[in-house]
Amino acid sequence: MYIPNIELQSKATIRQFQEKEVLHLLGYLREFSPFYREWFANHGIQPSTVKSLNDLWLIPPVTKEHLQEQNWDFLCVDKSKIAEYTTTSGTLGRPVIIALTQKDQERLSYNEYISFCCAEGTENDIYQLMLTLDRQFMAGMAYYNGIRKLGAGVLRVGPGVPSLQWENIRRIQPTTIVAVPSFIVKLIAFAKEHNIDINDCSVKSAVCIGENIRNVDFSLNVLGKKITEQWNIKLYSTYASTEMQTAFTECKAGQGGHHHPELLYIELLDDNNQPVGPGEDGEVTITTLGVEGMPLLRYKTGDICRYYDEPCSCGRHTMRLSPVIGRRKQMIKYKGTTLYPPALFDLLNDMEEVREFVVEVFSNEIGTDDILLHLWPVAETEDIDRKIRSYLQAKLRVIPQVRYVSQADIMKMQFPEGSRKPIKFIDRR
């Protein structure tokens, strides 16, 4: 199993390496980035101002709004050098274009190669990809190229269709699946309905994308338990975004996603853009290293996480990130309670009476947040309705609005035309 040498070094050595890379990036941005040249000028940042990582706070962070409004000003190369155009999913507003050069594509492949190594992948594995590989989705092709760099086999089945997934598992015998955790639950349900012995199949592990499978203390959450209590497979959590062009993936210890310091400098900041300490909530703020096309400096992702920096039992000395607690813009203030969507998802995933759901948030007539739960129940009866409302009352102390919908309606909401992953949160504020 390959572990990059820098990830085995001391904190001091890692910091020294990152400082050199960040200072190199500053020079690159001054020369080639229209956005950052203007950003530095507007904030009085001179070439000699930032001499170390300790001085980086002098440069104000950049937000998603900047990237949305001045998208092409972040491009540092001539368009003739762009090898691929990808976009963000648009979860937090208008999708952003991220252009990659050939060098960026190779960096992305390396990132996924070391990420799959982190999740104990080897050249003897066969990976079944249960996800989109088109629609400008960066991660799909990144997984594919990372697996090929690993030397393992790959099976591109795409998202959905449990019958097709199980048919390929039976015929080709993959060892690892890459999938959204809630879809793995659907795979298990299909297997039960069709008398498939899931613990007698070839699949031994799952690389989980797009959804949390752990709580912030790294214990399995409701979704993680739903999978492992029925299917004896090892789960590996991941966290990534298109903008950072880098992934945080768990090792066998399951104690957070490992940071790859050769690819990313990371800060966790509070509401005043001050760094938080280990175990404290902070907004993930990234600086990409080695990106040629659209590098980012002090970019606030909107994701709230915690970090831990003690050495891991796997041998790496790198920072580890917790699951995403929530997104800054998606925080809900509901009748005196502060909630993030993942907490609601856990609650709804734990309800046997609910098959699928979409959480919708909107502003009411007095300007405060209201929640509407679109639920596809196991049955529309008074008894089921009473159980659902009692559960919500017990867990939230208040009952949000509830709307029962059919399977067809919930599927239309979760998978609108052009979507690359299931949508379970709609923000209409």
Side-chain angles (χ1 to χ4, degrees), residues 52-191:
S52 72
L53 291 178
N54 294 331
D55 300 326
L56 207 56
W57 66 271
L58 294 167
I59 304 174
V62 171
T63 66
K64 188 137 193 164
E65 286 76 16
H66 295 112
L67 193 52
Q68 287 171 329
E69 292 164 9
Q70 296 174 256
N71 201 167
W72 286 115
D73 287 343
F74 283 82
L75 185 65
C76 291
V77 298
D78 187 83
K79 285 192 175 182
S80 64
K81 288 196 69 176
I82 297 174
E84 184 176 6
Y85 295 85
T86 65
T87 64
T88 60
S89 60
T91 306
L92 293 178
R94 188 170 72 252
V96 168
I97 296 168
I98 300 294
L100 287 79
T101 65
Q102 176 66 34
K103 180 183 174 184
D104 294 337
Q105 288 180 321
E106 291 167 1
R107 175 189 175 280
L108 200 59
S109 298
Y110 170 79
N111 161 72
E112 290 302 340
Y113 161 56
I114 59 177
S115 294
F116 281 116
C117 284
C118 200
E120 299 187 277
T122 74
E123 62 184 9
N124 298 317
D125 284 305
I126 300 173
Y127 289 84
Q128 184 160 325
L129 298 182
M130 301 179 176
L131 49 94
T132 298
L133 277 94
D134 54 9
R135 298 178 183 173
Q136 294 176 276
F137 186 38
M138 178 187 286
M141 290 309 298
Y143 297 139
Y144 175 81
N145 290 327
I147 291 166
R148 293 304 309 125
K149 189 172 181 66
L150 179 64
V154 62
L155 176 58
R156 295 180 290 112
V157 182
V161 199
S163 59
L164 181 61
Q165 304 290 355
W166 279 114
E167 176 63 14
N168 278 284
I169 290 172
R170 182 185 68 80
R171 294 179 63 198
I172 300 180
Q173 304 282 295
T175 57
T176 305
I177 60 175
V178 183
V180 176
S182 56
F183 180 67
I184 300 177
V185 173
K186 290 184 173 66
L187 278 182
I188 294 170
F190 182 91

Side-chain angles (χ1 to χ4, degrees), residues 162-223:
S163 59
L164 181 61
Q165 304 290 355
W166 279 114
E167 176 63 14
N168 278 284
I169 290 172
R170 182 185 68 80
R171 294 179 63 198
I172 300 180
Q173 304 282 295
T175 57
T176 305
I177 60 175
V178 183
V180 176
S182 56
F183 180 67
I184 300 177
V185 173
K186 290 184 173 66
L187 278 182
I188 294 170
F190 182 91
K192 278 186 174 180
E193 291 172 11
H194 295 83
N195 298 314
I196 298 170
D197 185 352
I198 57 176
N199 289 307
D200 191 40
C201 76
S202 59
V203 177
K204 304 304 177 191
S205 62
V207 175
C208 298
I209 63 171
E211 294 174 341
N212 288 346
I213 56 165
R214 297 191 189 277
N215 301 306
V216 290
D217 65 356
F218 304 122
S219 62
L220 288 173
N221 64 11
V222 171
L223 203 49

Side-chain angles (χ1 to χ4, degrees), residues 8 30 89 196 206 297 299 312 372 407 409 411 420 428:
L8 300 172
R30 285 191 197 98
S89 60
I196 298 170
L297 174 71
Y299 175 77
C312 182
L372 172 59
Q407 179 182 10
D409 287 339
M411 289 300 107
R420 303 187 305 212
R428 301 200 187 279

Side-chain angles (χ1 to χ4, degrees), residues 15-23 51-54:
R15 184 174 177 83
Q16 186 178 25
F17 168 84
Q18 292 215 293
E19 186 168 86
K20 178 183 174 184
E21 292 297 310
V22 170
L23 293 178
K51 297 179 179 178
S52 72
L53 291 178
N54 294 331

Side-chain angles (χ1 to χ4, degrees), residues 1 20 41 52 76-77 83 125 134 149 253 258 260 271 279 285 295 303 305 359 362 374 376 394 429:
M1 188 187 306
K20 178 183 174 184
S52 72
C76 291
V77 298
D125 284 305
D134 54 9
K149 189 172 181 66
H258 276 283
H260 300 308
D271 292 341
T285 303
D303 295 327
C305 290
V359 177
F362 56 94
H374 302 269
W376 172 32
R429 290 172 292 181

Side-chain angles (χ1 to χ4, degrees), residues 1 229 362 382 413:
M1 188 187 306
E229 285 173 356
F362 56 94
E382 288 185 9
M413 294 182 74

